[in-house]
Amino acid sequence: MKTRAVIAAVLLLLVTLSVSCRSSVVEESITENSTEEELITVGFSQLGAESDWRSTNTESMLSALSKENGYNLIYKNGQQKQSNQITAIRMFIQQEVDYIVLAPATETGWDTVLNEAKEAGIPVILVDRRVDTTDKTLYSCWVGSDFELEGQKMATWIHDYTTMIGVAPEDIHIVNIQGSIGSTAQIGRSKGLSEAVKEYGWDLLDEVSGDFTETKGREVMADLLQKYDNINIVYCENDNEAIGAIDALEAAGKVVGPDINNGEIMVVSFDGINIKALEYAKIGKISCIAECNPLHGPRVQALIEAIEAGETPDKFNYVSETLFSSVSGITSIEVEGKTYTITPVE
Ligand code: AHR
């Protein structure tokens, strides 16, 4: 008798609990539906916050995919870890978002999770970097920079400039402070340099990752100065690394500038968004910057709007970019038959 009474009490408690749980879920979804009804829900997985470029890119995405523009944006910072990004994508799938926007940290390792998104019927838009999947239908489209072209443009600028000032190719001793290994930006920029090294016969002393950060750029440059005493060009794969590298060079008593015939060490870099880097470009501490444009928010917005309108956007959408330099003598360069004008830094 006593046991039956206990069982009845437990059952009553369970029923009460389940009713109250269900009613709170319903209440939540009613609230969501009434306020978010017209909004497009986007899950955005950003890879991290390693550089000024990245912060500007995040701001651009947040302001384009805003409530005022008709979006309910769920933003997740991956803190430089692909595993965090994969977790975020799985969460977006569970939340049944309308679109997933992914700025991937590295190119490989996305097949499984992107398949899950595809099975859930959620279109994936890639922004900035790319993924290396055999099945290209795992994402709808991509928008970003042509990183290999950026590298080719920089290498051509170095070639044209050093030729102009009469430095023989074998006297060009370069170190490459690479970006995060395996990212599209690193792969493309390193390729642009290594092809020029082969073509012109420059001396590429070393390639070490600076992870796109100022701290690592400083650290890596200090180590390289311990190893080599003949470096005359430092190829930094972003501006933050260049700022760190310049600090290390100056701390070691080196003069940074384009006059390598007279012992200066020339620094070149990528991005053109960091104020300090642009100041450095103005005074010749950074001799040339290949632009990498971070303002992808409105571009992603346009891609979503095109899909919403039933269109199929181009698979790969490239952004056009310039080079910034205040070093006199080179006003334009040519890569694969196309001319690119150098933008002076004001
Ligand atoms: O993928 C773009 C690169 O990533 C930018 O050049 C760099 O600054 C950033 O961290």
Side-chain angles (χ1 to χ4, degrees), residues 290-312:
E291 184 195 10
C292 181
N293 188 304
L295 306 176
H296 296 320
R299 297 174 185 130
V300 170
Q301 188 189 347
L303 290 170
I304 294 176
E305 278 161 17
I307 299 173
E308 286 288 299
E311 295 162 24
T312 308

Side-chain angles (χ1 to χ4, degrees), residues 177-315:
I177 303 186
Q178 297 174 293
S180 306
I181 302 299
S183 66
T184 315
Q186 176 274 313
I187 295 169
R189 291 169 188 168
S190 294
K191 189 166 180 221
L193 174 64
S194 63
E195 279 177 358
V197 166
K198 266 186 255 145
E199 185 179 344
Y200 303 124
W202 297 338
D203 171 29
L204 178 61
L205 293 167
D206 218 331
E207 295 192 285
V208 200
S209 176
D211 258 338
F212 287 129
T213 70
E214 193 173 318
T215 314
K216 201 77 194 291
R218 186 178 296 112
E219 205 179 290
V220 159
M221 188 70 242
D223 291 348
L224 289 165
L225 285 169
Q226 295 291 315
K227 262 173 101 178
Y228 307 99
D229 62 3
N230 58 345
I231 301 167
N232 53 12
I233 298 182
V234 185
Y235 182 98
C236 297
E237 290 188 0
N238 85 344
D239 285 340
N240 289 81
E241 290 177 347
I243 292 167
I246 291 169
D247 273 0
L249 285 162
E250 292 183 335
K254 308 287 180 195
V255 181
V256 179
D259 193 3
I260 54 180
N261 279 323
N262 289 304
E264 290 187 350
I265 298 184
M266 184 165 95
V267 174
V268 296
S269 72
F270 296 81
D271 283 356
I273 195 73
N274 180 302
I275 304 290
K276 191 169 182 183
L278 288 167
E279 279 297 318
Y280 278 1
K282 201 164 144 189
I283 57 172
K285 272 197 193 183
I286 299 181
S287 294
C288 186
I289 300 176
E291 184 195 10
C292 181
N293 188 304
L295 306 176
H296 296 320
R299 297 174 185 130
V300 170
Q301 188 189 347
L303 290 170
I304 294 176
E305 278 161 17
I307 299 173
E308 286 288 299
E311 295 162 24
T312 308
D314 288 345
K315 192 86 181 171

Side-chain angles (χ1 to χ4, degrees), residues 14-320:
L14 286 175
V15 169
T16 317
L17 276 176
S18 103
V19 168
S20 67
C21 284
R22 253 189 282 142
S23 64
S24 83
V25 170
V26 172
E27 243 176 59
E28 211 178 286
S29 70
I30 287 171
T31 327
E32 248 178 42
N33 282 346
S34 57
T35 53
E36 316 288 333
E37 211 168 25
E38 303 299 325
L39 302 179
I40 298 172
T41 300
V42 176
F44 171 42
S45 168
Q46 175 62 286
L47 65 96
E50 73 286 3
S51 62
D52 291 82
W53 188 99
R54 189 66 50 200
S55 313
T56 309
N57 174 248
T58 302
E59 277 164 33
S60 169
M61 297 291 291
L62 265 51
S63 66
L65 304 180
S66 63
K67 279 228 159 74
E68 301 72 60
N69 289 344
Y71 293 90
N72 170 34
L73 181 68
I74 309 168
Y75 164 69
K76 282 276 161 198
N77 180 340
Q79 317 279 359
Q80 312 300 322
K81 287 203 180 91
Q82 186 183 38
S83 56
N84 290 342
Q85 292 199 278
I86 291 174
T87 305
I89 294 172
R90 293 204 166 116
M91 193 193 82
F92 298 151
I93 296 171
Q94 268 180 12
Q95 290 172 313
E96 299 181 359
V97 299
D98 299 310
Y99 292 87
I100 291 173
V101 178
L102 169 65
T106 50
E107 290 201 346
T108 54
W110 298 101
D111 298 69
T112 309
V113 76
L114 292 188
N115 248 308
E116 291 166 24
K118 190 182 174 185
E119 273 164 23
I122 303 172
V124 173
I125 296 175
L126 301 177
V127 62
D128 172 30
R129 302 176 184 173
R130 297 216 204 170
V131 296
D132 182 11
T133 54
T134 35
D135 181 359
K136 300 281 180 263
T137 67
L138 293 183
Y139 54 91
S140 302
C141 52
W142 163 88
V143 62
S145 305
D146 187 335
F147 297 109
E148 191 177 334
L149 177 63
E150 287 177 359
Q152 288 173 317
K153 289 196 283 191
M154 181 57 77
T156 306
W157 185 89
I158 296 171
H159 168 72
D160 291 1
Y161 174 70
T162 51
T163 306
M164 181 185 83
I165 62 166
V167 182
E170 61 276 18
D171 293 331
I172 293 176
H173 308 291
I174 305 188
V175 289
N176 180 10
I177 303 186
Q178 297 174 293
S180 306
I181 302 299
S183 66
T184 315
Q186 176 274 313
I187 295 169
R189 291 169 188 168
S190 294
K191 189 166 180 221
L193 174 64
S194 63
E195 279 177 358
V197 166
K198 266 186 255 145
E199 185 179 344
Y200 303 124
W202 297 338
D203 171 29
L204 178 61
L205 293 167
D206 218 331
E207 295 192 285
V208 200
S209 176
D211 258 338
F212 287 129
T213 70
E214 193 173 318
T215 314
K216 201 77 194 291
R218 186 178 296 112
E219 205 179 290
V220 159
M221 188 70 242
D223 291 348
L224 289 165
L225 285 169
Q226 295 291 315
K227 262 173 101 178
Y228 307 99
D229 62 3
N230 58 345
I231 301 167
N232 53 12
I233 298 182
V234 185
Y235 182 98
C236 297
E237 290 188 0
N238 85 344
D239 285 340
N240 289 81
E241 290 177 347
I243 292 167
I246 291 169
D247 273 0
L249 285 162
E250 292 183 335
K254 308 287 180 195
V255 181
V256 179
D259 193 3
I260 54 180
N261 279 323
N262 289 304
E264 290 187 350
I265 298 184
M266 184 165 95
V267 174
V268 296
S269 72
F270 296 81
D271 283 356
I273 195 73
N274 180 302
I275 304 290
K276 191 169 182 183
L278 288 167
E279 279 297 318
Y280 278 1
K282 201 164 144 189
I283 57 172
K285 272 197 193 183
I286 299 181
S287 294
C288 186
I289 300 176
E291 184 195 10
C292 181
N293 188 304
L295 306 176
H296 296 320
R299 297 174 185 130
V300 170
Q301 188 189 347
L303 290 170
I304 294 176
E305 278 161 17
I307 299 173
E308 286 288 299
E311 295 162 24
T312 308
D314 288 345
K315 192 86 181 171
F316 300 106
N317 300 277
Y318 292 95
V319 172
S320 60

Side-chain angles (χ1 to χ4, degrees), residues 320-336:
S320 60
E321 293 165 334
T322 187
L323 285 131
F324 301 107
S325 177
S326 295
V327 175
S328 51
I330 310 291
T331 52
S332 67
I333 52 147
E334 202 178 301
V335 176
E336 286 169 1

